[in-house]
Amino acid sequence: MRNRKARLTLCVGAIAVAAGFATPAHAQPTGPATALATVQAPADTTPAVYGRAAYLLDASTGKALLGRNADTRMPIASLTKTMTAYVVLQSAKPTDMVEITPEDVRYAVNGGGTSAYLRAGDRLPVKELLYGLMLPSGADAAHALARAYGPGVPGFVAKMNDTARRLGMTDTEYVNADGLPMPGGDGHSTARDQALLGVKALENPLLKQVTATRRHTVEQTADHRSYTWTNTNKLLGAPGALGLKTGFTRAAGFSLAFAGERDGRLLVGVLLGETVSSRRFDTARTLLEWGARQA
């Protein structure tokens, strides 16, 4: 058992989970997924959880309700964009305008990433770009924001890593603002670190609003065309669900950072390395219901 304290505005006390068996940081899941056991209660009282790593935190008390391989480093794909949004709002105002460049558009297309289908020459407020970043998981929006608030993407990535250290995310290293694979190697994080980030991100009212939005439309103005974005997070719609972020690459598998509010409690969870896309949302829904019943 490994204990570690993290200072969080919403959390008090120590967060403790079982480390589980070691897994190579960049190994891909192979074969059928196996259920993960909780560390807080007998296995027959907990829901089945699949994938390579899982973590569920009661952020209102700082108590870890479930964990397996919570400190194993692995790629996290587009969960990276939660840090991008968080860092942007450390210095940007929601009303700040960012002009989309051809480079931003090409980056998403050439990198094979998901896109918000931004158009070069459009000028959009930071608030709207956050919806483009978090709902359809736009790599073009990530590149535009990182370029504007680094300044430059390398400078922005340095800010992401500095922020991770400040938040106590000691097992996290970012290499870009979107989580796409890089020639020099992917970044990495852990289920525990991403839960810590989720708690901090949800302290920001705008980010909390964005991540809980199922569909968002931007009306056309003289500065930009109209856009409509649908959230990739199918957990939304469940009672109290706040969303957070989805992710997928071949190396990372299917990932999900999720949160929910129940009876005045904030639960934050992370699933990494799932092999079935839809199952992560069912698992998260079940974990939120189960977690709400834990003392």
Side-chain angles (χ1 to χ4, degrees):
M1 183 70 70
R2 171 183 172 188
N3 295 317
R4 186 170 61 174
K5 291 188 177 180
R7 295 186 176 275
L8 302 172
T9 302
L10 296 177
C11 303
V12 292
I15 298 173
V17 296
F21 57 84
T23 304
H26 298 288
Q28 291 184 251
T30 57
T34 56
L36 304 178
T38 182
V39 298
Q40 293 295 333
D44 60 353
T45 67
T46 60
V49 181
Y50 300 87
R52 292 174 54 204
Y55 189 70
L56 182 66
L57 169 70
D58 184 338
S60 303
T61 64
K63 181 180 180 181
L65 302 177
L66 178 146
R68 180 68 182 273
N69 294 339
D71 298 308
T72 299
R73 296 178 176 183
M74 58 187 72
I76 59 168
S78 286
L79 266 60
T80 297
K81 296 183 176 93
T82 302
M83 179 62 88
T84 300
Y86 183 79
V87 171
V88 165
L89 289 177
Q90 301 305 296
S91 58
K93 296 178 181 178
T95 55
D96 287 350
M97 301 295 284
V98 176
E99 182 169 345
I100 307 304
T101 67
E103 179 189 6
D104 301 326
V105 176
R106 284 196 301 269
Y107 177 82
V109 173
N110 295 342
T114 49
S115 177
Y117 298 103
L118 301 176
R119 185 173 64 184
D122 278 4
R123 297 178 66 252
L124 288 134
V126 164
K127 177 180 178 179
E128 304 297 2
L129 282 176
L130 290 176
Y131 282 100
L133 174 75
M134 301 297 283
L135 272 62
S137 200
D140 45 0
H143 192 274
L145 289 165
R147 174 181 51 76
Y149 291 99
V153 174
F156 188 85
V157 173
K159 287 182 179 180
M160 294 171 70
N161 286 313
D162 288 345
T163 301
R165 301 291 88 75
R166 177 168 56 82
L167 297 181
M169 299 167 61
T170 56
D171 290 309
T172 297
E173 185 71 25
Y174 295 105
V175 297
N176 55 30
D178 47 75
L180 288 172
M182 296 284 285
D186 299 346
H188 61 257
S189 189
T190 67
R192 186 201 302 269
D193 276 4
Q194 288 303 300
L196 297 180
L197 174 60
V199 173
K200 294 302 293 183
L202 291 172
E203 291 178 6
N204 185 292
L206 176 55
L207 274 185
K208 186 175 181 180
Q209 173 185 315
V210 169
T211 62
T213 299
R214 300 175 76 174
R215 187 178 177 87
H216 181 74
T217 296
V218 183
E219 299 295 340
Q220 182 174 350
T221 71
D223 290 316
H224 57 76
R225 70 169 178 174
S226 64
Y227 295 93
T228 297
W229 297 306
T230 301
N231 205 319
T232 57
N233 193 336
K234 294 179 174 59
L235 175 64
L236 293 175
L242 297 176
L244 270 181
K245 193 69 192 72
T246 63
F248 171 77
T249 62
R250 290 184 179 181
F254 296 101
S255 55
L256 178 67
F258 61 95
E261 290 178 323
R262 300 289 183 89
D263 301 321
R265 297 165 64 195
L266 175 65
L267 303 179
V268 178
V270 176
L271 303 171
L272 300 178
E274 246 285 15
T275 57
V276 180
S277 176
S278 60
R279 187 167 57 192
R280 56 186 161 162
F281 304 112
D282 295 333
T283 299
R285 186 179 299 108
T286 302
L287 284 175
L288 288 177
E289 294 171 355
W290 173 81
R293 297 193 297 269
Q294 306 309 302

